[in-house]
Structure formats: C-alpha cells, structure tokens
Amino acid sequence: MIKISGLSKSFGNLAVLNGLELFVKKGEAFSILGKSGTGKSVTLKCIAGLLIPDAGEIIVDSITVDAANIRDLRTIRRKIGFLFQGGALYDSMTIIENLIFNLSHHLKIPRAMAADKSENYLTLVGLKESMNKLPSELSGGMKKRAALARALVIEPQILLCDEPTTGLDPITSGEISELIRRLHDQFQVTAIVVTHDILCAGIVSDRAGVLEDGILKYTGSINELAGIDDEKVAGFFKSPL
Amino acid sequence: MKRFFTHLYELASFSFRFVKEALVPPYEFGELVSHLEDFGSRSLPLVSAIGLLMGLILALQTKPTLARFGAESFLPAMVAISVVRELGPVITALIVAGRVSSGIGAEIASMRVTEQIDALEVSTVDPYHFLVVPRVIAAVIVLPLLTAYADFLAIIGAFIVMFVTGDMGWQLFITSTLNSLSISDIVPGIAKTFFFGYIIAIVGSYFGFRTEGGTEGVGKAATSSVVFASFIILIADLVLVRVGIILFG
Ligand SMILES: Nc1ncnc2c1ncn2[C@@H]1O[C@H](COP(=O)(O)OP(=O)(O)OP(=O)(O)O)[C@@H](O)[C@H]1O
Ligand SMILES: [Mg+2]
C-alpha cells in the first residue's frame, strides 16, 4: 500500500511537487503519465526515501517514509524494486554481478542461489548471452532491460519503475510491458510505473494519473483518461501511427 | 572564501564518519583488495619516475654547495635525511593525490550523477560504508608503501650522481647512508604518510559524494579533489613536522 498526501518538493525556488495526493492499494498497479520535467522521477525518489519532501506524508505499508529511522527505512527498501530512469547499473560490475550484488545485499541470499536466480531473470529479459558483459558494453535498450531485471530479481512487493520502455523498439516495449504485468499478476506486486508510453501504461496498470503543476491532475482507468477532453491528456493518446 | 570554509567544515564531519563506519561490519574485503591494486598500479609508474628524479636533482643541486665547504662526503646523509623525513612523504603524497584523489572524486561523482549511489541505497547498502571505507583503508595502506619505495629510489638516484661523477664508491655510499638514518628520521617520515593517505581518499570521496549536475560535475569533483587534497596535505605536514620534532627531536 502506498499513500501519499500533500507531497511538496522544491529545488531552490523551483516548486516541482505541490501537494500531490496518491493512493495505490496493495497489489494495484498505477501509471504516472506526464510531460518531461513535471516531477515524475522526483515522486518515485520520494517514495523510496531518496529525496526528503518539504511537506506532506508518504506511507508505505504502514511505515511513514519521510519520518522513518534507518531501520524502518531499510525494512521498506527490502520490499522495493526500483528501476531508475537511466538504469543506474553499477558500471564496475558485469550485468550478472549487478543482479547478484542486489540479491545478496538486499535479501542476504547465498551467492550460488543468487547466481541461478539472476540468470533466470536475465533470460526473462533476453539478456542471457550478455550476462558477463559490463554495462558499458551494452546498448541503451539492453541496459534498460538489465536494470529492469535487477529491479525484478529481488521479487519485490513494491515495484517502482521509471520509464521501463523508453528507448526500446515497439516489439520489445510490448514484451517488457507484458513481463511487468505478468510478474505483477503472479506476485501481487504493488507497482508505480512512470511512462510516456500509453501502450505500456495500458498493459501494465489498472489505473493511471497525469502529473501536471505538481499534482496528479486526472486519475482513472486508462479508458477514462482517454475520454478526458483536455489536450494535455489527449496528447498522450495520440498514436504516432 | 566562505565556500572554502564550508567545505572544510563539511569535510571534517564527513571524515569523522569514517571512524564510526570503519568498525561496523560487513567488511568489504573484496573491494579493499581491488582498490589496493588500483591505487598501487595507478601511482606506481609516476612515483617511480619522480622518486628517482628527486634523488638525482637533490644530489646534483647540493653537490657543488657541499663541495665548496669540502663536505661532499656528507652528501649521502643529507639526501637520505631530507628525503626520508620530508621530501619523500610530501612529494609522494602530492603525486598520489593527483592520481588517486582525482580518480576517487571522478569515480564516486559519476556514480552519484548516474544514480548508482541511489541504487545502492535502495538495495539497503550504505554507500558511505561500501564506497568510502574501503577506499580510505586502501589509501592508508598504499601510501606508506609507495613512500618507502620512492625514498629508496631517491637514494638510488643520489648514488647514481655520486657514482657517475666518480666521487664515491658504493660501499662508502651505503655505509654513510645507513649510518646517517636513525629511527627518529624514519618513524615520523612514514607515520605522516598514514595521515596523507587518509586525506587523499577522504577528500576525493567527499567531493565525489556532493557532486550535483551532469558530467561537468564529475570533472569539477576531480579537480576540486586534487586541489583540496594537496592543500590539506601541506597544511597537515606543517602540523606533523612540529609534532615530529616534539616527539622525536
Ligand atoms: N536533485 C535535483 N536538484 C535540483 N533539481 C532537480 C533535482 N532533481 C530534479 N530536479 C528538477 O525537478 C524537476 C522535475 O524533475 P524530474 O526528474 O522528476 O522530471 P521527470 O518528470 O521525471 O521528467 P522526465 O520525463 O524528463 O524524466 C526538473 O525541473 C528538474 O530539473
Ligand atoms: Mg524522469
């Protein structure tokens, strides 16, 4: 369960979030749509306790993130799989080491088991052949998939995905979206997915919202959003084809 | 100027954290070993060259002066003492600061701007503990070794000068070098380098961690690391020279 109320965050005199409200039930998947620079990544980072909000409250599974001590914060983070917008793969480690590192630190799983599991997840995102490469040797889309595998391998109860399909071709985008949906259904993951890709949002999420002026302006099912008569919302639904 | 003192203040609290963090497990031995290798191999070529040059220059420079007083036989002692007590530790530290501080600064800064540090935090890994502690320990181990090695090469350099000019045989050179050096030269000389190693790694880590912005932030972190580390090394040396004199005469 993720409950955000009155979340505000500014950098200097740039107010990014301005009283944002969001409630995502346990096991629900929610997409955040929004133009570039509206604060989508900032929102995700606040949820994971990486940025400290100026005001407001964020509750993740009964723990208040913004007021949590280190131990509580760790408890929450053990449940979180985070896909960073730029991937954030550890560039000194190979792809599979990236996954193993996360498993053994996040969940304290023994190495041999971690290695098997990591390989499975890399196979799932189609990177089995490249698992011993360094991140610098991968293409943009491969990095994204590797980073997704790293977020998923810990089998998180909460999944925070920052643009999982950006930079991928339409076919891979579809596959990745389906993969997230499948894992979501299988493990009842609570997910928040930031995306510009309306197809992805449609596949992955039950509900979506449009972030604008520091708040979630419209929320509802994808179909409901498609019917809203506001050009800024409608813009996301204009298919390029 | 105000920025400078803010840095010093924040740097102090950043570096005290090391003492707390170094003692708590998990101990990252794998990281430590890879940093040892990295720092050593990164500095070795330059330290070798500079060590040898230091001895050559020092000998060439002082030889005529000593000759004027008929005191050329003191040359090995003079070189050995000034290298071991002062020049070796400081010059090695400044060179290693240039290689290693900037390297650490750039490395951690790029992890910061590409969100790798955030990723560590989400994986419940304390970035300070994982990134800073092993680097500081590695630098504290490597610098004394590099300094001893540079000292040795400098003495070889001085010997080359004496040998080429035919002023002294090797037996005499070795005995007068060894006779001139006492524990009270070697201990303060090497003891300093532990502090210098600490400064080198902590300053680089500090600037890496506080980096903001994109790739230009990475470059800035690297340069600030070298400038600050060199400066603080010299200030620390000033203090440590005093302490050394009080303790060892
Ligand atoms: N650490 C930071 N320091 C200063 N400003 C920041 C920081 N992080 C984000 N911002 C600013 O906050 C605003 C929102 O950033 P954010 O990364 O959340 O955008 P976004 O909605 O994710 O955009 P995009 O779709 O392009 O990724 C931007 O104007 C950005 O410049
Ligand atoms: Mg973003």
Side-chain angles (χ1 to χ4, degrees):
Chain A
M1 186 268 304
I2 298 171
K3 182 167 179 280
I4 303 177
S5 34
L7 176 63
S8 299
K9 175 78 190 168
S10 342
F11 296 100
N13 47 20
L14 173 76
V16 178
L17 299 177
N18 209 340
L20 181 134
E21 308 273 333
L22 173 64
F23 182 77
V24 182
K25 294 203 293 273
K26 190 167 168 35
E28 189 187 21
F30 187 90
S31 286
I32 299 179
L33 309 169
K35 282 201 343 207
S36 178
T38 46
K40 303 182 298 297
S41 301
V42 169
T43 308
L44 287 191
K45 284 186 188 165
C46 287
I47 296 172
L50 294 169
L51 286 174
I52 299 162
D54 302 332
E57 194 179 52
I58 301 167
I59 299 173
V60 177
D61 286 357
S62 82
I63 293 176
T64 311
V65 177
D66 45 291
N69 58 24
I70 292 180
R71 271 196 41 220
D72 286 346
L73 206 52
R74 284 216 171 130
T75 316
I76 301 173
R77 284 174 175 168
R78 287 232 162 76
K79 303 179 187 173
I80 295 182
F82 199 127
L83 169 65
F84 287 88
Q85 188 166 1
L89 294 166
Y90 306 125
D91 47 24
S92 58
M93 303 177 199
T94 64
I95 299 305
I96 188 146
E97 284 294 334
N98 262 276
L99 273 71
I100 294 174
F101 180 88
N102 252 24
L103 269 178
S104 52
H105 283 81
H106 220 117
L107 303 177
K108 314 263 178 277
I109 288 180
R111 250 194 99 83
M113 245 172 88
D116 279 350
K117 205 163 187 174
S118 302
E119 206 176 317
N120 289 342
Y121 272 85
L122 286 172
T123 313
L124 222 49
V125 297
L127 284 178
K128 192 175 182 335
E129 284 73 38
S130 311
M131 69 182 193
N132 290 318
K133 289 188 179 160
L134 289 169
S136 57
E137 298 167 314
L138 299 189
S139 74
M142 289 162 94
K143 277 186 207 156
K144 197 106 228 187
R145 284 184 279 149
L148 180 67
R150 190 180 69 179
L152 295 175
V153 75
I154 58 164
E155 291 172 357
Q157 294 165 24
I158 297 167
L159 183 61
L160 305 176
C161 279
D162 202 341
E163 309 201 358
T165 59
T166 309
L168 299 180
D169 61 278
I171 298 169
T172 319
S173 289
E175 285 170 6
I176 291 292
S177 308
E178 296 283 356
L179 173 67
I180 295 176
R181 180 77 213 185
R182 208 163 65 234
L183 291 169
H184 167 255
D185 289 345
Q186 196 176 340
F187 299 109
Q188 274 82 50
V189 180
T190 312
I192 297 185
V193 179
V194 165
T195 183
H196 303 291
D197 176 356
I198 201 75
L199 288 173
C200 168
I203 294 169
V204 169
S205 57
D206 310 307
R207 280 193 310 139
V210 179
L211 184 59
E212 205 187 307
D213 302 329
I215 54 167
L216 280 169
K217 272 237 166 112
Y218 305 96
T219 52
S221 70
I222 297 289
N223 286 336
E224 282 164 8
L225 287 182
I228 287 173
D229 189 21
D230 177 329
E231 59 179 74
K232 284 188 179 143
V233 180
F236 285 101
F237 291 87
K238 274 194 207 117
S239 161
L241 299 175
Chain B
M1 203 58 194
K2 199 166 145 239
R3 271 250 311 282
F4 176 81
F5 283 106
T6 332
H7 276 317
L8 277 191
Y9 173 76
E10 285 176 14
L11 187 57
S13 66
F14 186 87
S15 81
F16 285 134
R17 210 176 139 192
F18 172 79
V19 186
K20 267 194 303 188
E21 298 275 351
L23 301 174
V24 262
Y27 307 109
E28 306 284 352
F29 288 114
E31 287 293 300
L32 177 62
V33 172
S34 84
H35 294 313
L36 280 172
E37 282 171 10
D38 180 43
F39 296 170
S41 63
R42 220 187 275 194
S43 319
L44 208 55
L46 206 55
V47 168
S48 312
I50 304 273
L52 198 63
L53 282 170
M54 181 163 62
L56 290 171
I57 294 168
L58 206 58
L60 282 174
Q61 155 98 13
T62 42
K63 203 163 161 293
T65 320
L66 289 174
R68 228 190 297 159
F69 300 106
E72 262 185 311
S73 58
F74 286 119
L75 192 130
M78 227 220 72
V79 170
I81 292 176
S82 42
V83 162
V84 168
R85 271 202 90 132
E86 187 55 32
L87 287 174
V90 172
I91 290 183
T92 311
L94 291 177
I95 292 163
V96 177
R99 303 291 294 166
V100 173
S101 273
S102 61
I104 294 176
E107 231 166 57
I108 296 185
S110 82
M111 293 188 73
R112 168 62 87 198
V113 301
T114 57
E115 298 174 323
Q116 291 175 55
I117 292 187
D118 287 336
L120 283 174
E121 282 199 43
V122 175
S123 320
T124 66
V125 176
D126 182 341
Y128 191 101
H129 195 272
F130 184 73
L131 299 174
V132 179
V133 171
R135 282 178 170 81
V136 171
I137 296 176
V140 168
I141 295 173
V142 160
L143 199 63
L145 297 176
L146 285 173
T147 304
Y149 169 71
D151 289 353
F152 175 73
L153 284 181
I155 291 169
I156 301 273
F159 172 69
I160 291 173
V161 170
M162 295 305 274
F163 188 76
V164 168
T165 53
D167 288 324
M168 203 180 263
W170 62 272
Q171 296 98 330
L172 184 59
F173 186 90
I174 290 176
T175 40
S176 50
T177 301
L178 290 180
N179 287 339
S180 67
L181 282 177
S182 68
I183 290 292
S184 64
D185 298 315
I186 296 172
V187 171
I190 293 298
K192 280 198 241 205
T193 62
F194 292 104
F195 292 94
F196 295 164
Y198 180 79
I199 293 169
I200 285 169
I202 217 85
V203 171
S205 307
Y206 167 77
F207 282 103
F209 256 85
R210 62 186 308 288
T211 301
E212 278 170 13
T215 26
E216 93 242 60
V218 177
K220 258 196 234 152
T223 348
S224 307
S225 301
V226 183
V227 173
F228 256 75
S230 310
F231 180 74
I232 297 175
I233 283 168
L234 291 174
I235 299 288
D237 189 48
L238 202 66
V239 177
L240 292 169
V241 165
R242 282 299 302 160
V243 175
I245 289 174
I246 292 167
L247 290 179
F248 293 94

